[in-house]
Amino acid sequence: MKRFKFRLETVEKVRRLREQQVLRLLGAANRELENARSRKRRQQEALARGKIEREGLGMIPTSQGDFAVADDYIRGTEQRIVQADQGIFRAEKSVQKAKRVYLIALRQLRAIELLREKHLLEWKRETSKREQKLIDDLVSSRLRLQREEEVETR
């Protein structure tokens, strides 16, 4: 009996590879998003520490320059937080785009897999019909031979 051979097998392999490649890109985009969120968290923690330190400067006698340095640090940190927000926004857009591309690749792969299943069922049906016909032919030829033998023995 012949083995099942899907004629679009190479297309299926290419689409499967494409799906895996796009999935890796989606993972990279998700990592970048998490990194951007982590950078923002670190900046927020640094801002909180800077504000606490600036408040601590009021407890002891300090110069105006020390307060100015602390204020500059806080303003710079706030700007970095805004930049981190922008980075998060870009990373989220990248993740959304990667998800759309992944879903498209997944749909394309599923379409080929459905075709494979359809062709496999058709092949099984044809194979079953061929086998049944062969069995029927064998049975009918055996019966014919038996009848011929009965006629000859009479």
Side-chain angles (χ1 to χ4, degrees), residues 55-100:
E55 295 300 320
L57 289 177
M59 304 288 182
I60 56 172
T62 54
S63 68
Q64 182 95 16
D66 291 340
F67 276 109
V69 168
D71 283 339
D72 288 343
Y73 175 76
I74 289 171
R75 274 193 299 272
T77 304
E78 288 171 344
Q79 288 175 351
R80 286 188 289 279
I81 289 173
V82 169
Q83 291 171 350
D85 281 334
Q86 293 169 350
I88 289 172
F89 179 75
R90 285 190 302 272
E92 285 173 344
K93 288 286 189 183
S94 177
V95 167
Q96 289 172 359
K97 181 180 178 184
K99 279 182 184 177
R100 281 191 304 270

mmCIF file of all heavy atoms in Angstrom, residues 55-100:
data_model
loop_
_atom_site.group_PDB
_atom_site.id
_atom_site.type_symbol
_atom_site.label_atom_id
_atom_site.label_comp_id
_atom_site.label_asym_id
_atom_site.label_seq_id
_atom_site.Cartn_x
_atom_site.Cartn_y
_atom_site.Cartn_z
ATOM 1 N N GLU A 55 14.257 65.913 50.911
ATOM 2 C CA GLU A 55 13.593 66.273 52.162
ATOM 3 C C GLU A 55 14.551 66.157 53.337
ATOM 4 O O GLU A 55 14.475 66.939 54.278
ATOM 5 C CB GLU A 55 12.364 65.383 52.390
ATOM 6 C CG GLU A 55 11.264 65.570 51.366
ATOM 7 C CD GLU A 55 10.729 66.995 51.331
ATOM 8 O OE1 GLU A 55 10.577 67.605 52.407
ATOM 9 O OE2 GLU A 55 10.486 67.492 50.220
ATOM 10 N N GLY A 56 15.452 65.175 53.251
ATOM 11 C CA GLY A 56 16.435 65.006 54.316
ATOM 12 C C GLY A 56 17.438 66.153 54.369
ATOM 13 O O GLY A 56 18.020 66.421 55.418
ATOM 14 N N LEU A 57 17.625 66.836 53.249
ATOM 15 C CA LEU A 57 18.552 67.964 53.230
ATOM 16 C C LEU A 57 18.040 69.108 54.111
ATOM 17 O O LEU A 57 18.820 69.904 54.633
ATOM 18 C CB LEU A 57 18.758 68.471 51.798
ATOM 19 C CG LEU A 57 19.549 67.575 50.866
ATOM 20 C CD1 LEU A 57 19.604 68.190 49.465
ATOM 21 C CD2 LEU A 57 20.954 67.342 51.377
ATOM 22 N N GLY A 58 16.727 69.181 54.285
ATOM 23 C CA GLY A 58 16.153 70.242 55.114
ATOM 24 C C GLY A 58 16.375 70.010 56.595
ATOM 25 O O GLY A 58 16.246 70.939 57.391
ATOM 26 N N MET A 59 16.725 68.827 56.994
ATOM 27 C CA MET A 59 16.936 68.503 58.407
ATOM 28 C C MET A 59 18.279 69.008 58.917
ATOM 29 O O MET A 59 18.431 69.267 60.097
ATOM 30 C CB MET A 59 16.866 66.985 58.618
ATOM 31 C CG MET A 59 15.591 66.341 58.153
ATOM 32 S SD MET A 59 14.287 66.791 59.259
ATOM 33 C CE MET A 59 12.949 65.880 58.545
ATOM 34 N N ILE A 60 19.224 69.091 58.008
ATOM 35 C CA ILE A 60 20.566 69.550 58.408
ATOM 36 C C ILE A 60 20.890 70.820 57.631
ATOM 37 O O ILE A 60 20.330 71.062 56.552
ATOM 38 C CB ILE A 60 21.626 68.460 58.151
ATOM 39 C CG1 ILE A 60 21.589 68.025 56.668
ATOM 40 C CG2 ILE A 60 21.405 67.253 59.040
ATOM 41 C CD1 ILE A 60 22.710 67.101 56.283
ATOM 42 N N PRO A 61 21.767 71.626 58.170
ATOM 43 C CA PRO A 61 22.126 72.851 57.433
ATOM 44 C C PRO A 61 22.877 72.489 56.140
ATOM 45 O O PRO A 61 23.889 71.790 56.175
ATOM 46 C CB PRO A 61 23.019 73.623 58.398
ATOM 47 C CG PRO A 61 23.210 72.768 59.593
ATOM 48 C CD PRO A 61 22.380 71.544 59.470
ATOM 49 N N THR A 62 22.318 72.918 54.989
ATOM 50 C CA THR A 62 22.938 72.666 53.689
ATOM 51 C C THR A 62 22.877 73.926 52.864
ATOM 52 O O THR A 62 22.087 74.842 53.127
ATOM 53 C CB THR A 62 22.215 71.543 52.928
ATOM 54 O OG1 THR A 62 20.845 71.859 52.856
ATOM 55 C CG2 THR A 62 22.393 70.208 53.615
ATOM 56 N N SER A 63 23.699 73.969 51.868
ATOM 57 C CA SER A 63 23.756 75.156 51.012
ATOM 58 C C SER A 63 22.656 75.113 49.960
ATOM 59 O O SER A 63 22.054 74.074 49.696
ATOM 60 C CB SER A 63 25.129 75.245 50.342
ATOM 61 O OG SER A 63 25.261 74.188 49.425
ATOM 62 N N GLN A 64 22.445 76.250 49.343
ATOM 63 C CA GLN A 64 21.452 76.374 48.273
ATOM 64 C C GLN A 64 21.854 75.490 47.087
ATOM 65 O O GLN A 64 21.003 74.921 46.402
ATOM 66 C CB GLN A 64 21.387 77.837 47.824
ATOM 67 C CG GLN A 64 20.373 78.107 46.773
ATOM 68 C CD GLN A 64 19.073 78.596 47.381
ATOM 69 O OE1 GLN A 64 19.053 78.991 48.535
ATOM 70 N NE2 GLN A 64 18.018 78.565 46.613
ATOM 71 N N GLY A 65 23.131 75.340 46.852
ATOM 72 C CA GLY A 65 23.634 74.521 45.740
ATOM 73 C C GLY A 65 23.262 73.065 45.893
ATOM 74 O O GLY A 65 22.945 72.381 44.912
ATOM 75 N N ASP A 66 23.277 72.566 47.134
ATOM 76 C CA ASP A 66 22.896 71.172 47.371
ATOM 77 C C ASP A 66 21.424 70.944 47.016
ATOM 78 O O ASP A 66 21.058 69.927 46.435
ATOM 79 C CB ASP A 66 23.160 70.788 48.821
ATOM 80 C CG ASP A 66 24.648 70.712 49.143
ATOM 81 O OD1 ASP A 66 25.448 70.578 48.185
ATOM 82 O OD2 ASP A 66 24.996 70.774 50.329
ATOM 83 N N PHE A 67 20.575 71.947 47.395
ATOM 84 C CA PHE A 67 19.163 71.843 47.037
ATOM 85 C C PHE A 67 18.979 71.894 45.515
ATOM 86 O O PHE A 67 18.159 71.165 44.942
ATOM 87 C CB PHE A 67 18.340 72.968 47.683
ATOM 88 C CG PHE A 67 17.925 72.672 49.084
ATOM 89 C CD1 PHE A 67 18.492 73.358 50.158
ATOM 90 C CD2 PHE A 67 16.960 71.709 49.341
ATOM 91 C CE1 PHE A 67 18.098 73.078 51.451
ATOM 92 C CE2 PHE A 67 16.568 71.440 50.646
ATOM 93 C CZ PHE A 67 17.144 72.123 51.714
ATOM 94 N N ALA A 68 19.752 72.738 44.847
ATOM 95 C CA ALA A 68 19.655 72.869 43.386
ATOM 96 C C ALA A 68 20.068 71.561 42.708
ATOM 97 O O ALA A 68 19.436 71.118 41.737
ATOM 98 C CB ALA A 68 20.523 74.026 42.899
ATOM 99 N N VAL A 69 21.122 70.932 43.227
ATOM 100 C CA VAL A 69 21.572 69.659 42.661
ATOM 101 C C VAL A 69 20.483 68.603 42.836
ATOM 102 O O VAL A 69 20.180 67.842 41.904
ATOM 103 C CB VAL A 69 22.903 69.209 43.318
ATOM 104 C CG1 VAL A 69 23.235 67.771 42.972
ATOM 105 C CG2 VAL A 69 24.038 70.126 42.911
ATOM 106 N N ALA A 70 19.874 68.549 44.006
ATOM 107 C CA ALA A 70 18.814 67.565 44.268
ATOM 108 C C ALA A 70 17.616 67.826 43.353
ATOM 109 O O ALA A 70 17.027 66.891 42.809
ATOM 110 C CB ALA A 70 18.407 67.619 45.735
ATOM 111 N N ASP A 71 17.247 69.117 43.188
ATOM 112 C CA ASP A 71 16.122 69.455 42.304
ATOM 113 C C ASP A 71 16.435 69.083 40.854
ATOM 114 O O ASP A 71 15.560 68.584 40.124
ATOM 115 C CB ASP A 71 15.776 70.943 42.405
ATOM 116 C CG ASP A 71 14.996 71.271 43.661
ATOM 117 O OD1 ASP A 71 14.385 70.340 44.231
ATOM 118 O OD2 ASP A 71 14.990 72.452 44.072
ATOM 119 N N ASP A 72 17.674 69.343 40.418
ATOM 120 C CA ASP A 72 18.071 68.975 39.051
ATOM 121 C C ASP A 72 17.990 67.460 38.842
ATOM 122 O O ASP A 72 17.541 66.984 37.800
ATOM 123 C CB ASP A 72 19.487 69.467 38.746
ATOM 124 C CG ASP A 72 19.562 70.972 38.571
ATOM 125 O OD1 ASP A 72 18.495 71.596 38.371
ATOM 126 O OD2 ASP A 72 20.683 71.518 38.633
ATOM 127 N N TYR A 73 18.423 66.724 39.868
ATOM 128 C CA TYR A 73 18.360 65.259 39.781
ATOM 129 C C TYR A 73 16.906 64.806 39.656
ATOM 130 O O TYR A 73 16.583 63.950 38.826
ATOM 131 C CB TYR A 73 19.020 64.636 41.017
ATOM 132 C CG TYR A 73 18.895 63.139 41.069
ATOM 133 C CD1 TYR A 73 19.690 62.329 40.259
ATOM 134 C CD2 TYR A 73 17.956 62.523 41.898
ATOM 135 C CE1 TYR A 73 19.559 60.950 40.282
ATOM 136 C CE2 TYR A 73 17.826 61.149 41.931
ATOM 137 C CZ TYR A 73 18.624 60.371 41.122
ATOM 138 O OH TYR A 73 18.497 59.009 41.153
ATOM 139 N N ILE A 74 16.030 65.393 40.455
ATOM 140 C CA ILE A 74 14.608 65.018 40.425
ATOM 141 C C ILE A 74 14.002 65.360 39.077
ATOM 142 O O ILE A 74 13.279 64.550 38.479
ATOM 143 C CB ILE A 74 13.849 65.699 41.585
ATOM 144 C CG1 ILE A 74 14.272 65.064 42.913
ATOM 145 C CG2 ILE A 74 12.341 65.586 41.393
ATOM 146 C CD1 ILE A 74 13.767 65.784 44.144
ATOM 147 N N ARG A 75 14.280 66.567 38.543
ATOM 148 C CA ARG A 75 13.739 66.943 37.225
ATOM 149 C C ARG A 75 14.272 66.021 36.127
ATOM 150 O O ARG A 75 13.527 65.591 35.243
ATOM 151 C CB ARG A 75 14.078 68.398 36.901
ATOM 152 C CG ARG A 75 13.077 69.386 37.472
ATOM 153 C CD ARG A 75 13.267 70.766 36.858
ATOM 154 N NE ARG A 75 14.585 71.332 37.121
ATOM 155 C CZ ARG A 75 14.891 72.061 38.201
ATOM 156 N NH1 ARG A 75 13.963 72.346 39.093
ATOM 157 N NH2 ARG A 75 16.106 72.525 38.382
ATOM 158 N N GLY A 76 15.549 65.706 36.192
ATOM 159 C CA GLY A 76 16.133 64.798 35.202
ATOM 160 C C GLY A 76 15.503 63.417 35.266
ATOM 161 O O GLY A 76 15.210 62.784 34.240
ATOM 162 N N THR A 77 15.264 62.944 36.491
ATOM 163 C CA THR A 77 14.639 61.639 36.670
ATOM 164 C C THR A 77 13.209 61.657 36.139
ATOM 165 O O THR A 77 12.753 60.699 35.501
ATOM 166 C CB THR A 77 14.666 61.225 38.155
ATOM 167 O OG1 THR A 77 16.017 61.248 38.608
ATOM 168 C CG2 THR A 77 14.099 59.837 38.344
ATOM 169 N N GLU A 78 12.485 62.746 36.388
ATOM 170 C CA GLU A 78 11.126 62.863 35.858
ATOM 171 C C GLU A 78 11.128 62.842 34.331
ATOM 172 O O GLU A 78 10.248 62.237 33.708
ATOM 173 C CB GLU A 78 10.460 64.141 36.381
ATOM 174 C CG GLU A 78 10.092 64.054 37.850
ATOM 175 C CD GLU A 78 9.636 65.381 38.443
ATOM 176 O OE1 GLU A 78 9.882 66.447 37.827
ATOM 177 O OE2 GLU A 78 9.032 65.358 39.528
ATOM 178 N N GLN A 79 12.116 63.482 33.730
ATOM 179 C CA GLN A 79 12.231 63.451 32.261
ATOM 180 C C GLN A 79 12.531 62.038 31.768
ATOM 181 O O GLN A 79 11.992 61.593 30.749
ATOM 182 C CB GLN A 79 13.310 64.416 31.788
ATOM 183 C CG GLN A 79 12.920 65.871 31.923
ATOM 184 C CD GLN A 79 14.044 66.813 31.550
ATOM 185 O OE1 GLN A 79 15.181 66.390 31.342
ATOM 186 N NE2 GLN A 79 13.715 68.101 31.465
ATOM 187 N N ARG A 80 13.387 61.343 32.498
ATOM 188 C CA ARG A 80 13.687 59.962 32.111
ATOM 189 C C ARG A 80 12.458 59.068 32.255
ATOM 190 O O ARG A 80 12.264 58.140 31.476
ATOM 191 C CB ARG A 80 14.868 59.432 32.919
ATOM 192 C CG ARG A 80 16.204 60.008 32.467
ATOM 193 C CD ARG A 80 17.375 59.331 33.132
ATOM 194 N NE ARG A 80 17.499 59.657 34.539
ATOM 195 C CZ ARG A 80 18.055 60.778 35.037
ATOM 196 N NH1 ARG A 80 18.538 61.676 34.213
ATOM 197 N NH2 ARG A 80 18.121 60.974 36.335
ATOM 198 N N ILE A 81 11.596 59.356 33.233
ATOM 199 C CA ILE A 81 10.350 58.599 33.380
ATOM 200 C C ILE A 81 9.445 58.849 32.182
ATOM 201 O O ILE A 81 8.827 57.922 31.648
ATOM 202 C CB ILE A 81 9.644 58.952 34.711
ATOM 203 C CG1 ILE A 81 10.441 58.368 35.881
ATOM 204 C CG2 ILE A 81 8.214 58.422 34.735
ATOM 205 C CD1 ILE A 81 9.937 58.793 37.256
ATOM 206 N N VAL A 82 9.367 60.105 31.727
ATOM 207 C CA VAL A 82 8.567 60.420 30.543
ATOM 208 C C VAL A 82 9.132 59.680 29.325
ATOM 209 O O VAL A 82 8.382 59.104 28.524
ATOM 210 C CB VAL A 82 8.515 61.946 30.294
ATOM 211 C CG1 VAL A 82 7.928 62.268 28.933
ATOM 212 C CG2 VAL A 82 7.730 62.627 31.396
ATOM 213 N N GLN A 83 10.447 59.660 29.197
ATOM 214 C CA GLN A 83 11.074 58.925 28.089
ATOM 215 C C GLN A 83 10.793 57.428 28.206
ATOM 216 O O GLN A 83 10.579 56.747 27.201
ATOM 217 C CB GLN A 83 12.578 59.189 28.069
ATOM 218 C CG GLN A 83 12.940 60.609 27.688
ATOM 219 C CD GLN A 83 14.417 60.907 27.886
ATOM 220 O OE1 GLN A 83 15.152 60.119 28.469
ATOM 221 N NE2 GLN A 83 14.837 62.071 27.394
ATOM 222 N N ALA A 84 10.797 56.926 29.438
ATOM 223 C CA ALA A 84 10.490 55.505 29.644
ATOM 224 C C ALA A 84 9.042 55.212 29.240
ATOM 225 O O ALA A 84 8.757 54.166 28.655
ATOM 226 C CB ALA A 84 10.734 55.116 31.095
ATOM 227 N N ASP A 85 8.128 56.145 29.533
ATOM 228 C CA ASP A 85 6.736 55.980 29.102
ATOM 229 C C ASP A 85 6.650 55.902 27.583
ATOM 230 O O ASP A 85 5.902 55.092 27.035
ATOM 231 C CB ASP A 85 5.864 57.133 29.607
ATOM 232 C CG ASP A 85 5.475 56.984 31.066
ATOM 233 O OD1 ASP A 85 5.429 55.832 31.548
ATOM 234 O OD2 ASP A 85 5.211 58.021 31.714
ATOM 235 N N GLN A 86 7.410 56.757 26.923
ATOM 236 C CA GLN A 86 7.424 56.728 25.458
ATOM 237 C C GLN A 86 8.007 55.412 24.947
ATOM 238 O O GLN A 86 7.512 54.843 23.972
ATOM 239 C CB GLN A 86 8.216 57.915 24.906
ATOM 240 C CG GLN A 86 7.546 59.244 25.171
ATOM 241 C CD GLN A 86 8.451 60.431 24.861
ATOM 242 O OE1 GLN A 86 9.651 60.262 24.617
ATOM 243 N NE2 GLN A 86 7.874 61.622 24.880
ATOM 244 N N GLY A 87 9.030 54.932 25.617
ATOM 245 C CA GLY A 87 9.610 53.641 25.250
ATOM 246 C C GLY A 87 8.616 52.508 25.444
ATOM 247 O O GLY A 87 8.529 51.591 24.627
ATOM 248 N N ILE A 88 7.836 52.570 26.517
ATOM 249 C CA ILE A 88 6.802 51.560 26.771
ATOM 250 C C ILE A 88 5.752 51.616 25.668
ATOM 251 O O ILE A 88 5.310 50.578 25.150
ATOM 252 C CB ILE A 88 6.164 51.756 28.160
ATOM 253 C CG1 ILE A 88 7.165 51.374 29.246
ATOM 254 C CG2 ILE A 88 4.881 50.946 28.293
ATOM 255 C CD1 ILE A 88 6.712 51.713 30.652
ATOM 256 N N PHE A 89 5.361 52.834 25.286
ATOM 257 C CA PHE A 89 4.365 52.989 24.228
ATOM 258 C C PHE A 89 4.871 52.361 22.927
ATOM 259 O O PHE A 89 4.147 51.608 22.268
ATOM 260 C CB PHE A 89 4.049 54.479 24.031
ATOM 261 C CG PHE A 89 3.058 54.750 22.943
ATOM 262 C CD1 PHE A 89 1.713 54.498 23.131
ATOM 263 C CD2 PHE A 89 3.480 55.247 21.721
ATOM 264 C CE1 PHE A 89 0.794 54.741 22.134
ATOM 265 C CE2 PHE A 89 2.572 55.489 20.705
ATOM 266 C CZ PHE A 89 1.232 55.245 20.915
ATOM 267 N N ARG A 90 6.123 52.656 22.569
ATOM 268 C CA ARG A 90 6.698 52.074 21.342
ATOM 269 C C ARG A 90 6.773 50.558 21.446
ATOM 270 O O ARG A 90 6.476 49.839 20.488
ATOM 271 C CB ARG A 90 8.076 52.675 21.069
ATOM 272 C CG ARG A 90 8.051 54.078 20.533
ATOM 273 C CD ARG A 90 9.431 54.521 20.057
ATOM 274 N NE ARG A 90 10.439 54.464 21.101
ATOM 275 C CZ ARG A 90 10.708 55.455 21.973
ATOM 276 N NH1 ARG A 90 10.019 56.570 21.916
ATOM 277 N NH2 ARG A 90 11.637 55.318 22.880
ATOM 278 N N ALA A 91 7.175 50.059 22.606
ATOM 279 C CA ALA A 91 7.284 48.607 22.792
ATOM 280 C C ALA A 91 5.903 47.944 22.714
ATOM 281 O O ALA A 91 5.773 46.858 22.146
ATOM 282 C CB ALA A 91 7.950 48.295 24.132
ATOM 283 N N GLU A 92 4.879 48.589 23.258
ATOM 284 C CA GLU A 92 3.526 48.034 23.169
ATOM 285 C C GLU A 92 3.059 47.989 21.718
ATOM 286 O O GLU A 92 2.422 47.020 21.292
ATOM 287 C CB GLU A 92 2.548 48.865 24.011
ATOM 288 C CG GLU A 92 2.693 48.617 25.503
ATOM 289 C CD GLU A 92 1.846 49.551 26.349
ATOM 290 O OE1 GLU A 92 1.374 50.595 25.829
ATOM 291 O OE2 GLU A 92 1.656 49.246 27.537
ATOM 292 N N LYS A 93 3.366 49.029 20.957
ATOM 293 C CA LYS A 93 3.019 49.032 19.530
ATOM 294 C C LYS A 93 3.737 47.891 18.814
ATOM 295 O O LYS A 93 3.160 47.214 17.967
ATOM 296 C CB LYS A 93 3.401 50.372 18.872
ATOM 297 C CG LYS A 93 2.534 51.519 19.270
ATOM 298 C CD LYS A 93 1.203 51.394 18.595
ATOM 299 C CE LYS A 93 0.408 52.656 18.811
ATOM 300 N NZ LYS A 93 -0.905 52.587 18.254
ATOM 301 N N SER A 94 4.987 47.689 19.158
ATOM 302 C CA SER A 94 5.766 46.612 18.544
ATOM 303 C C SER A 94 5.161 45.246 18.880
ATOM 304 O O SER A 94 5.076 44.368 18.017
ATOM 305 C CB SER A 94 7.214 46.683 19.022
ATOM 306 O OG SER A 94 7.969 45.634 18.519
ATOM 307 N N VAL A 95 4.733 45.076 20.117
ATOM 308 C CA VAL A 95 4.108 43.809 20.529
ATOM 309 C C VAL A 95 2.800 43.599 19.768
ATOM 310 O O VAL A 95 2.519 42.494 19.278
ATOM 311 C CB VAL A 95 3.876 43.775 22.059
ATOM 312 C CG1 VAL A 95 2.948 42.638 22.456
ATOM 313 C CG2 VAL A 95 5.188 43.659 22.796
ATOM 314 N N GLN A 96 2.006 44.663 19.644
ATOM 315 C CA GLN A 96 0.743 44.545 18.912
ATOM 316 C C GLN A 96 0.993 44.153 17.458
ATOM 317 O O GLN A 96 0.298 43.297 16.910
ATOM 318 C CB GLN A 96 -0.034 45.858 18.971
ATOM 319 C CG GLN A 96 -0.608 46.168 20.327
ATOM 320 C CD GLN A 96 -1.209 47.562 20.397
ATOM 321 O OE1 GLN A 96 -1.184 48.313 19.436
ATOM 322 N NE2 GLN A 96 -1.741 47.915 21.561
ATOM 323 N N LYS A 97 1.982 44.776 16.844
ATOM 324 C CA LYS A 97 2.303 44.455 15.449
ATOM 325 C C LYS A 97 2.774 43.009 15.340
ATOM 326 O O LYS A 97 2.355 42.272 14.434
ATOM 327 C CB LYS A 97 3.384 45.400 14.935
ATOM 328 C CG LYS A 97 3.752 45.164 13.494
ATOM 329 C CD LYS A 97 4.829 46.118 13.037
ATOM 330 C CE LYS A 97 5.227 45.832 11.606
ATOM 331 N NZ LYS A 97 6.339 46.668 11.166
ATOM 332 N N ALA A 98 3.631 42.588 16.257
ATOM 333 C CA ALA A 98 4.130 41.212 16.232
ATOM 334 C C ALA A 98 2.987 40.216 16.443
ATOM 335 O O ALA A 98 2.971 39.156 15.816
ATOM 336 C CB ALA A 98 5.210 41.027 17.300
ATOM 337 N N LYS A 99 2.023 40.564 17.298
ATOM 338 C CA LYS A 99 0.870 39.675 17.506
ATOM 339 C C LYS A 99 0.050 39.548 16.229
ATOM 340 O O LYS A 99 -0.391 38.452 15.877
ATOM 341 C CB LYS A 99 -0.023 40.215 18.622
ATOM 342 C CG LYS A 99 0.460 39.897 20.000
ATOM 343 C CD LYS A 99 -0.508 40.430 21.043
ATOM 344 C CE LYS A 99 0.017 40.188 22.438
ATOM 345 N NZ LYS A 99 -0.882 40.752 23.465
ATOM 346 N N ARG A 100 -0.161 40.684 15.540
ATOM 347 C CA ARG A 100 -0.931 40.627 14.290
ATOM 348 C C ARG A 100 -0.217 39.747 13.271
ATOM 349 O O ARG A 100 -0.838 38.907 12.616
ATOM 350 C CB ARG A 100 -1.136 42.032 13.719
ATOM 351 C CG ARG A 100 -2.227 42.814 14.401
ATOM 352 C CD ARG A 100 -2.582 44.076 13.633
ATOM 353 N NE ARG A 100 -1.462 44.960 13.396
ATOM 354 C CZ ARG A 100 -1.064 45.940 14.210
ATOM 355 N NH1 ARG A 100 -1.717 46.154 15.328
ATOM 356 N NH2 ARG A 100 -0.032 46.692 13.901
#
